[in-house]
Amino acid sequence: MENVRNGVSDGGIKDVSRSDFPNDFVFGVATSAYQIEGARREGGKGDSIWDVFSENKDNIVDKSTGDVAVDHYHRYKEDIELMAKLGFGAYRFSISWARIFPDGLGTKINEEGVTFYNNLINFMLEKGLQPFATLYHWDLPYNLHTTIGGWLSDKIADYFALYAEACFANFGDRVKHWITINEPLQTSVNGYGAGIFAPGKCTDAIKDPFLAAHHQLLAHAAAYKVYKEKFKATQAGEVGLVVDCEWAEAFSDKPDDVIATARRFDFHVGWYLDPIFFGDYPETMRKRLGDHLPNFSERDRENLRNSVDFVGLNHYTSRFISHVETPREIHFYQVQEMKRNEIYPSGEAIGDRAASEWLFIVPWGLRKTLNHISKQYNHPKIYVTENGMDEEDSELEKLELHERLNDTKRVGYFKGYIAAVAQAIKDGADVRGYFAWSFLDNFEWAQGYTKRFGLVYVDYKNGLTRHPKASAIWFSHFLKGEGSVY
Ligand code: PNW
């Protein structure tokens, strides 16, 4: 039964058990290379834009870096063993481009980097975890930034295709699920617009995000084409793209708010998925951005069309969207003429807040997001590639270690959101897997180590030791099909 609060349904989300999902539904955990590996100068790795960005202490709130991170590079066996012990069936990790091609140019492969990922993948398989590999989780080889301008260059797609090809050739006999790019929107808007992510503000904060997005799409399509033409027949794997998408609920049923909500989706996911499923950017973007939005050639369109075997969805939170009149500046947010509200029209909060100021806990939003993507793009195969919440390190610091592990709020988050996935499957969405973000506490980009998203606590002050939190234990019971202990 669905409950309605302030005119908005709770999606009928209650309790959940493993048997609400098909047997072959994949449950995994997710991480990314820069956030966990460390070993910045080991194994022949080149610098990435994040290595250099975090050297500037103004860029990271606690002035930290990923130089050591949580040392997964050296502790990967311990980490994978723990994942397997908890009962997970898959691990979504990312490959550091600069470990494979230190200067990004695709000419000299770094054998030590290849060996590291071979060891990682082999160990995963030995422990019964399916590898889901992301090729690009924000750590562009720095040399590609300084020499060609990174994602602003139309040459980048060729370099990305060379890198993708090297990964398919070296790892594709064992990796059957590939993600080309993680959340291209965050790179475009935060990396090339706002400047809060690497590489930091560039030359034209208005045009650059749209150019960076365009080139990420073309790079994705180029990698997909390489796989299809050279590897698919022998390796029989799948290649997808990961987008991030909040749920956007119309603030009221006034036509202006309803239209603003649709526009919000266009600018958020339509920006990336419309070119793939329909051959061009959404009309609402074209109309508002004019020449600031690049054009696709016929060849681009052909390469992009249907260039995903699955859609990866990173989902954390929801907002109510209302229409606002703003000066129609060609700025990513202003041009959308909408406001993201954290309250119901009645004034009640949309959900409890996690540590990050953008993260409100709204389980029903995931059900609606999955159904929206399913309907909008003709029922694609979907993996939830990230979902999770954070806690504030400074708050946990005040507690004893065993108390820090008692993350009951996170247990509630996962129960609610996983139940929402089960509901979406019942509604008809073709969801094949779910990955919790993140396995370990880690380097949370501009927030450094101040925010903890892990199922496993990392003791930064005591040798980076790992301590499973209550949420990890909850998962282990859930995955075994045992009743919840919380
Ligand atoms: C994701 N937002 O990014 C990333 O893929 C992860 O690497 C990251 O650690 C995780 O979310 C948690 O932040 C996002 O502000 C970061 O809406 C911020 C937003 C969305 C996605």
Side-chain angles (χ1 to χ4, degrees), residues 32 35 137-138 182-183 186 197 244 246 314 316 358 386 437 442 444-445 453:
S32 90
Q35 295 179 274
H137 201 124
W138 306 357
N182 178 71
E183 299 186 358
Q186 299 297 324
F197 285 177
D244 55 295
E246 288 179 0
N314 290 354
Y316 290 87
W358 53 270
E386 285 180 27
W437 183 272
N442 61 46
E444 176 55 18
W445 308 112
F453 273 92

Side-chain angles (χ1 to χ4, degrees), residues 16 34 84 88 145 171 201 273 285 339 424 450 452 467:
V16 67
Y34 187 71
F88 287 103
H145 175 67
F171 313 124
K201 215 175 216 107
L273 294 186
M285 291 187 78
K339 183 167 178 272
T450 64
R452 292 178 177 268
H467 308 269

Side-chain angles (χ1 to χ4, degrees), residues 108-359:
K108 291 186 300 287
I109 197 156
N110 174 34
E111 289 301 339
E112 275 186 89
V114 174
T115 302
F116 171 67
Y117 291 110
N118 269 331
N119 291 343
L120 184 81
I121 293 162
N122 290 342
F123 198 65
M124 256 180 255
L125 291 171
E126 201 182 309
K127 296 288 162 193
L129 293 154
Q130 287 185 57
F132 279 61
T134 306
L135 293 172
Y136 187 73
H137 201 124
W138 306 357
D139 46 358
L140 186 78
Y142 186 61
N143 183 56
L144 285 179
H145 175 67
T146 51
T147 55
I148 64 166
W151 290 109
L152 298 179
S153 165
D154 61 5
K155 297 195 188 70
I156 192 81
D158 292 339
Y159 291 115
F160 186 70
L162 288 174
Y163 162 57
E165 178 160 358
C167 291
F168 300 148
N170 281 286
F171 313 124
D173 56 335
R174 288 151 293 154
V175 174
K176 300 302 166 194
H177 294 90
W178 293 98
I179 289 146
T180 53
I181 296 179
N182 178 71
E183 299 186 358
L185 181 140
Q186 299 297 324
T187 296
S188 304
V189 173
N190 286 328
Y192 289 88
I196 56 171
F197 285 177
K201 215 175 216 107
C202 285
T203 43
D204 185 340
I206 290 171
K207 266 196 162 154
D208 287 355
F210 301 104
L211 205 55
H214 196 71
H215 294 145
Q216 287 183 87
L217 275 166
L218 299 183
H220 157 79
Y224 187 85
K225 189 166 191 274
V226 167
Y227 194 80
K228 196 168 102 187
E229 290 176 357
K230 298 192 179 172
F231 299 95
K232 181 103 179 165
T234 50
Q235 298 185 347
E238 301 197 325
V239 180
L241 175 74
V242 164
V243 293
D244 55 295
C245 184
E246 288 179 0
W247 174 247
E249 178 84 20
F251 189 71
S252 79
D253 52 14
K254 283 192 217 131
D256 271 358
D257 286 346
V258 174
I259 293 166
T261 305
R263 205 157 58 230
R264 164 73 177 154
F265 278 113
D266 285 345
F267 274 79
H268 209 159
V269 280
W271 190 5
Y272 300 95
L273 294 186
D274 278 23
I276 291 173
F277 288 99
F278 309 138
D280 205 350
Y281 293 119
E283 194 47 44
T284 47
M285 291 187 78
R286 281 252 170 256
K287 234 168 71 196
R288 280 157 187 262
L289 294 164
D291 290 345
H292 292 287
L293 203 59
N295 290 303
F296 294 111
S297 69
E298 266 320 304
R299 220 179 118 246
D300 296 340
R301 265 182 234 282
E302 212 174 286
N303 291 343
L304 271 165
R305 199 172 266 280
N306 299 321
S307 62
V308 288
D309 301 318
F310 63 87
V311 171
L313 169 70
N314 290 354
H315 175 93
Y316 290 87
T317 193
S318 297
R319 290 292 188 284
F320 290 105
I321 303 297
S322 53
H323 175 84
V324 285
E325 302 281 340
T326 45
R328 284 271 199 99
E329 287 167 48
I330 310 290
H331 173 284
F332 179 70
Y333 285 106
Q334 269 111 16
V335 80
Q336 295 180 52
E337 288 195 298
M338 58 90 195
K339 183 167 178 272
R340 291 160 70 236
N341 302 281
E342 297 149 17
I343 50 161
Y344 284 89
S346 64
E348 198 183 330
I350 191 167
D352 208 4
R353 219 195 82 182
S356 280
E357 58 190 31
W358 53 270
L359 211 172

Side-chain angles (χ1 to χ4, degrees), residues 321-468:
I321 303 297
S322 53
H323 175 84
V324 285
E325 302 281 340
T326 45
R328 284 271 199 99
E329 287 167 48
I330 310 290
H331 173 284
F332 179 70
Y333 285 106
Q334 269 111 16
V335 80
Q336 295 180 52
E337 288 195 298
M338 58 90 195
K339 183 167 178 272
R340 291 160 70 236
N341 302 281
E342 297 149 17
I343 50 161
Y344 284 89
S346 64
E348 198 183 330
I350 191 167
D352 208 4
R353 219 195 82 182
S356 280
E357 58 190 31
W358 53 270
L359 211 172
F360 291 82
I361 303 173
V362 190
W364 51 264
L366 178 52
R367 177 183 182 182
K368 292 190 181 192
T369 307
L370 288 165
N371 284 331
H372 173 82
I373 290 178
S374 184
K375 194 166 132 235
Q376 188 81 4
Y377 300 106
N378 199 19
H379 308 291
K381 212 185 268 188
I382 306 174
Y383 285 90
V384 177
T385 36
E386 285 180 27
N387 177 240
M389 61 154 270
D390 59 344
E391 291 170 290
E392 194 73 47
D393 178 60
S394 58
E395 291 298 319
L396 296 174
E397 278 269 289
K398 298 173 190 158
L399 308 173
E400 297 292 326
L401 178 63
H402 72 272
E403 296 168 319
R404 293 180 209 167
L405 305 183
N406 194 20
D407 59 342
T408 47
K409 192 165 172 179
R410 184 177 284 106
V411 172
Y413 182 101
F414 283 128
K415 276 187 183 174
Y417 277 79
I418 290 173
V421 177
Q423 289 284 6
I425 294 172
K426 288 201 188 95
D427 297 335
D430 188 9
V431 192
R432 302 295 181 99
Y434 172 95
F435 291 80
W437 183 272
S438 180
F439 182 58
L440 299 162
D441 291 333
N442 61 46
F443 179 81
E444 176 55 18
W445 308 112
Q447 300 298 317
Y449 299 96
T450 64
K451 302 284 189 286
R452 292 178 177 268
F453 273 92
L455 302 182
V456 174
Y457 185 87
V458 177
D459 196 340
Y460 298 131
K461 297 196 170 139
N462 284 298
L464 298 174
T465 46
R466 274 74 164 142
H467 308 269

